[in-house]
Amino acid sequence: MKIKDAEIIALMQNPRTLDKGIRVLMDAYQSRLYWHIRRIIVDGDLAQDTLQETFIKAYQNFHQFKNDSQLYTWLYRIATNEALQQINKLKKMQKTDEDPEYYMQNLVADNTHSDAEEIQIFLQRAIQSLPEKQKLVFMMRYYDDLPYEEISKIVDMSVGTLKTNYHYAKQKIEEYIKENYER
Amino acid sequence: MKDFDLEKLERKNIYKVPENMFENIQDKVLSEIKADKKAPIFKLNWGYAAAASLALIFGATFMYQFNSDSSANGDSNGNYADNRTVPKKESQLAYETLASDLTSVENSNQRVERQMDIKPVVSQVVNNNSGNQNKKAVKTANEIHMNEYLESLPNSEIAELANNSSQDVYLDLYN
């Protein structure tokens, strides 16, 4: 992956190969970034738009990328910010009397495969019941297996705080599933 | 569910995904980038903007002053034109002529009252290079009208004018 990142960076930094660079970058990261965004936003169409916007921003602002950080960390940061902006817009558009967490949990049921396991649906609902920071930390650690140091750069939080947040998030999810899921 | 360990659960993506989704996203991104390249991006440079604003302010001020000056000149020109076209009243002419004559020594060049009499005088002033014949004609006409004017004045006024004229003799020495 590191060699590939170096190639992408070299292509993106040269104006002549910039277009080729963005294609290689999209091929390499579209799946990871899409699922990261999708778990935050849940809605499929909105997740597509957000991924598209992430790549456009990466293309337009690549001159701001510093080689001292990982390429995927930088891309995750853009994707996370875009996703959170979309979530905030969604919350503003909602009815004031409706609980945003409840709305997101219902959205999970509407967007899952018909053959999806029930426990998996409960897990996603439990994730949507978490506060925003805990949700982000849990998803990046549990699904993407990102090191705390890299998550720290993405969400601007200390490693200690991240570890605490992950611990509480995991605890809350397990409690949610124990309470709500019946085999 | 009493026994549940999150770490033992398989990590799956359970959401529905449309076919060719990534291809469509890539096409949209690339078309957006191309459109972005075609459209010229105007970036506001605050330094240039400030300089342009100052130039505009100074330019506008200069133009305003220039216009007000020229309009003032235009008014004065208009007034000048009006002064030339509007004939003077007889009393004004008489007063001016009298005032100018009082500084003169020679009786023949004193006191021109009527407008008709002014015209040759003006022409004489304007056309300094005109011939001696014209001067003689003006003189004779002035003499006739001056005599008529003096005859119309009462004795007391003539005496007063005579006193003034005798005082102005010394002034005329320097003319």
Side-chain angles (χ1 to χ4, degrees):
Chain A
M1 179 62 80
K2 278 193 175 179
I3 297 166
K4 190 139 194 178
D5 276 0
E7 281 175 20
I8 293 167
I9 291 163
L11 288 169
M12 292 288 286
Q13 283 176 339
N14 186 346
R16 288 178 185 175
T17 56
L18 188 61
D19 288 0
K20 191 187 173 187
I22 193 69
R23 279 194 212 105
V24 179
L25 185 145
M26 287 193 287
D27 285 339
Y29 285 104
Q30 60 190 7
S31 181
R32 285 178 74 181
L33 292 174
Y34 173 77
W35 286 112
H36 172 63
I37 293 165
R38 185 75 192 266
R39 284 183 211 111
I40 299 170
I41 290 178
V42 180
D43 182 77
D45 292 337
L46 207 56
Q48 286 183 48
D49 291 346
T50 310
L51 180 64
Q52 193 183 311
E53 200 58 37
T54 301
F55 286 137
I56 290 166
K57 288 242 168 109
Y59 176 88
Q60 288 172 338
N61 301 297
F62 200 78
H63 59 278
Q64 292 177 8
F65 171 72
K66 292 167 187 171
N67 278 323
D68 55 354
S69 66
Q70 300 273 3
L71 180 60
Y72 78 86
T73 310
W74 188 69
L75 292 171
Y76 261 76
R77 193 178 166 90
I78 298 170
T80 306
N81 286 335
E82 289 294 318
L84 290 178
Q85 278 182 21
Q86 293 293 342
I87 287 285
N88 288 334
K89 278 183 195 171
L90 212 66
K91 283 177 182 173
K92 281 179 187 172
M93 285 165 69
Q94 265 182 258
K95 291 173 187 174
T96 49
D97 56 341
E98 199 174 9
D99 182 15
E101 286 170 11
Y102 184 72
Y103 171 80
M104 293 302 287
Q105 287 178 47
N106 283 337
L107 208 60
V108 170
D110 296 339
N111 280 272
T112 49
H113 277 300
S114 54
D115 56 348
E117 293 173 63
E118 204 175 355
I119 186 78
Q120 296 287 350
I121 297 168
F122 269 92
L123 173 60
Q124 292 305 320
R125 290 180 70 129
I127 292 169
Q128 293 305 327
S129 71
L130 296 172
E132 202 165 77
K133 282 178 185 175
Q134 287 182 15
K135 193 195 297 184
L136 288 173
V137 177
F138 178 80
M139 287 192 299
M140 282 189 270
R141 183 72 186 159
Y142 185 78
Y143 286 104
D144 298 320
D145 206 20
L146 293 184
Y148 282 116
E149 288 75 19
E150 296 303 319
I151 300 171
S152 164
K153 290 173 188 169
I154 295 164
V155 293
D156 285 331
M157 285 161 75
S158 71
V159 172
T161 312
L162 289 174
K163 283 179 179 174
T164 313
N165 272 293
Y166 182 75
H167 173 76
Y168 282 124
K170 202 177 158 186
Q171 210 172 30
K172 280 182 190 174
I173 288 167
E174 284 176 344
E175 281 171 14
Y176 182 94
I177 290 173
K178 281 175 190 173
E179 282 175 20
N180 295 290
Y181 181 67
E182 288 179 9
R183 220 182 283 187
Chain B
M1 190 180 188
K2 289 178 183 178
D3 303 319
F4 176 71
D5 187 357
L6 194 61
E7 296 299 330
K8 287 179 183 174
L9 196 69
E10 192 184 354
R11 284 148 211 213
K12 280 184 178 178
N13 292 316
I14 58 163
Y15 295 120
K16 288 180 273 187
V17 177
E19 284 183 18
N20 303 322
M21 182 190 70
F22 290 122
E23 288 171 16
N24 292 336
I25 289 173
Q26 285 203 15
D27 288 344
K28 281 181 185 175
V29 170
L30 293 170
S31 62
E32 188 87 14
I33 286 166
K34 280 180 187 172
D36 208 36
K37 273 185 184 173
K38 283 178 187 173
I41 299 166
F42 177 73
K43 288 181 180 175
L44 185 63
N45 186 323
W46 290 106
Y48 287 127
S53 310
L54 284 172
L56 191 69
I57 291 163
F58 283 119
T61 312
F62 173 77
M63 286 302 291
Y64 176 75
Q65 285 181 346
F66 180 77
N67 285 335
S68 59
D69 287 350
S70 61
S71 64
N73 288 337
D75 289 346
S76 64
N77 286 338
N79 289 337
Y80 178 69
D82 287 343
N83 285 339
R84 289 182 71 183
T85 51
V86 175
K88 288 183 179 180
K89 288 179 183 176
E90 197 173 341
S91 58
Q92 277 182 309
L93 288 169
Y95 178 77
E96 287 171 10
T97 313
L98 185 60
S100 63
D101 286 345
L102 288 174
T103 60
S104 174
V105 179
E106 292 181 23
N107 288 332
S108 60
N109 288 335
Q110 287 178 351
R111 295 174 194 167
V112 179
E113 185 181 19
R114 291 177 188 174
Q115 192 177 357
M116 286 177 66
D117 298 337
I118 285 297
K119 284 176 184 174
V121 174
V122 170
S123 64
Q124 190 181 12
V125 171
V126 173
N127 303 318
N128 285 327
N129 297 325
S130 60
N132 291 326
Q133 288 179 349
N134 288 336
K135 282 183 179 177
K136 282 177 183 174
V138 169
K139 271 188 176 181
T140 50
N142 281 342
E143 279 174 3
I144 294 162
H145 291 294
M146 191 59 63
N147 290 333
E148 287 175 0
Y149 178 70
L150 287 170
E151 283 171 7
S152 68
L153 289 173
N155 289 333
S156 61
E157 255 186 77
I158 291 169
E160 193 181 345
L161 290 171
N163 285 333
N164 290 334
S165 63
S166 62
Q167 286 171 2
D168 290 340
V169 166
Y170 300 102
L171 294 173
D172 199 51
L173 287 173
Y174 302 100
N175 289 337

